[in-house]
């Protein structure tokens, strides 16, 4: 069974659909890139998978030992979030799963998990720094460490390299790829077609006639060819 299976989803707000016929699966070890134009409904899809938004129709199933709360999430960044007045450590701690809401005390295991996540993202030296004073790339590493505290199974990332320069983006992509190779399934929204084609195992393309399949199937598909031609024109 897959970690996540979506069957014939319709997504939207207040009963009004913005996107229909979405079906896909994400399995252990997969690297799924979600592509689509601005406003296509990519962020809405991720929020729906995470239970922050109700689907209008269709089915979302979790399997292979995964439940909704085992998913690490990095949301699309807003200016307000970039200015968040907390220390790096506080932000990473906030990724710990908690059924008790706000807590003053953490177990040894939880502290260890935070430490390992910070080491993994190479931000231990920034622990006491103020988040809003960090560079864009450092901030994204903090948010990845936070998401890592919530999961060993699935990371859901909404445009993690948006606004970063090419070198910093490339470093972040490498880090994400390493996590994937260590066994964490990645579901990532990206505007970067080149990176999607380099790293993804599967592509979900959101449009009038949504596509889901392996990267190789996407490259050969009608939707894929159209999308790649469109991106080519944007770049030239
Ligand atoms: N909270 C909301 N209430 C109503 N409509 C929304 C809300 N959030 C997003 N939308 C609309 O849903 C559509 C898809 O948005 P979004 O999922 O953010 O697209 P993407 O991430 O692909 O750019 C847009 O038309 C947007 O205006
Ligand atoms: Mg979005």
């Amino acid at each position: 069974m897959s970690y996540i299976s979506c069957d014939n989803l319709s997504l939207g707000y207040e009963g009004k659909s913005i996107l229909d016929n979405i079906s896909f699966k994400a399995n252990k070890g997969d690297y799924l890139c979600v592509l689509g134009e601005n406003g296509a409904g990519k962020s809405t899809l991720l929020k729906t998978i995470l239970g922050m938004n109700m689907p209008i129709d269709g089915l979302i199933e979790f399997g292979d030992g995964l439940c909704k709360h085992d998913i690490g999430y990095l949301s699309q960044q807003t200016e307000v979030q970039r200015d968040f007045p907390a220390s790096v450590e506080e932000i990473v701690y906030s990724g710990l799963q908690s059924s008790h809401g706000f807590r003053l005390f953490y177990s040894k295991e939880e502290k260890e998990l935070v430490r390992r996540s910070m080491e993994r993202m190479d931000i231990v030296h920034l622990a006491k720094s103020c988040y809003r004073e960090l560079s864009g790339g450092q901030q994204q590493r903090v948010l990845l460490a936070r998401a890592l505290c919530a999961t060993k199974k699935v990371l859901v990332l909404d445009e993690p390299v948006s606004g970063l320069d090419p070198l910093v983006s490339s470093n972040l992509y490498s880090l994400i790829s390493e996590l994937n190779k260590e066994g964490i399934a990645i579901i990532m929204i990206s505007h970067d077609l080149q990176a999607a084609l380099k790293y993804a195992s599967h592509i979900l393309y959101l449009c009038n006639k949504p596509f889901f399949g392996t990267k190789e199937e996407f490259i050969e598909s009608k939707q894929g060819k159209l999308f790649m031609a469109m991106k080519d024109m944007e770049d030239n």
Side-chain angles (χ1 to χ4, degrees):
M1 185 147 189
S2 303
Y3 272 156
I4 302 171
S5 314
C6 291
D7 190 34
N8 221 356
L9 283 185
S10 286
L11 311 177
Y13 297 92
E14 286 152 27
K16 263 182 62 191
S17 136
I18 54 161
L19 196 59
D20 300 300
N21 299 318
I22 305 299
S23 299
F24 69 93
K25 289 179 195 307
N27 293 304
K28 192 169 184 180
D30 282 356
Y31 192 131
L32 171 64
C33 252
V34 182
L35 301 174
E37 294 302 304
N38 254 337
K42 303 180 296 297
S43 297
T44 302
L45 172 67
L46 298 194
K47 285 184 201 154
T48 309
I49 295 171
L50 292 160
M52 296 153 73
N53 197 43
M54 286 303 288
I56 290 176
D57 203 1
L59 200 64
I60 304 174
E61 281 185 301
F62 297 96
D64 203 5
L66 185 81
C67 76
K68 196 161 63 186
H69 305 290
D70 291 332
I71 301 177
Y73 175 49
L74 190 162
S75 68
Q76 193 164 11
Q77 282 277 83
T78 63
E79 282 311 312
V80 176
Q81 287 163 332
R82 285 189 213 289
D83 235 12
F84 201 70
S87 76
V88 163
E89 202 171 49
E90 283 168 327
I91 290 193
V92 179
Y93 265 100
S94 72
L96 286 171
Q97 293 303 302
S98 163
S99 47
H100 317 296
F102 179 73
R103 288 182 303 162
L104 283 172
F105 302 104
Y106 295 94
S107 69
K108 212 171 133 194
E109 289 75 27
E110 287 174 320
K111 287 179 187 165
E112 179 62 16
L113 180 59
V114 166
R115 192 187 58 79
R116 263 185 287 139
S117 302
M118 290 180 59
E119 272 176 9
R120 194 69 195 75
M121 292 299 122
D122 196 15
I123 54 167
V124 175
H125 60 292
L126 299 172
K128 305 288 177 206
S129 305
C130 186
Y131 176 78
R132 65 176 168 202
E133 278 153 20
L134 304 182
S135 71
Q138 287 172 329
Q139 286 191 339
Q140 290 305 79
R141 295 213 310 271
V142 172
L143 295 179
L144 260 178
R146 176 182 189 273
L148 265 182
C149 283
T151 192
K152 290 187 179 66
K153 294 175 180 166
V154 182
L155 278 177
V156 165
L157 311 172
D158 195 341
E159 305 207 25
V161 309
S162 139
L164 303 182
D165 68 49
L167 182 66
V168 176
S169 298
S170 151
N171 287 339
L172 209 64
Y173 280 130
S174 299
L175 265 174
I176 294 166
S177 172
E178 277 170 30
L179 294 172
N180 176 243
K181 286 186 184 129
E182 289 162 21
I184 297 182
I186 307 290
I187 301 180
M188 182 168 86
I189 295 176
S190 172
H191 269 124
D192 185 342
L193 180 63
Q194 292 313 321
L197 295 179
K198 179 170 175 193
Y199 292 107
S201 61
H202 292 77
I203 303 277
L204 174 64
Y205 174 36
L206 303 184
C207 57
N208 285 339
K209 221 171 153 272
F211 173 92
F212 171 69
T214 64
K215 170 173 65 183
E216 292 75 19
E217 287 164 349
F218 178 68
I219 292 170
E220 291 304 320
S221 70
K222 214 158 132 186
Q223 294 100 316
K225 284 178 180 159
L226 252 169
F227 186 69
M228 288 186 284
M230 223 153 59
K231 286 281 167 192
D232 256 356
M233 278 188 345
E234 277 173 22
D235 293 344
N236 292 323

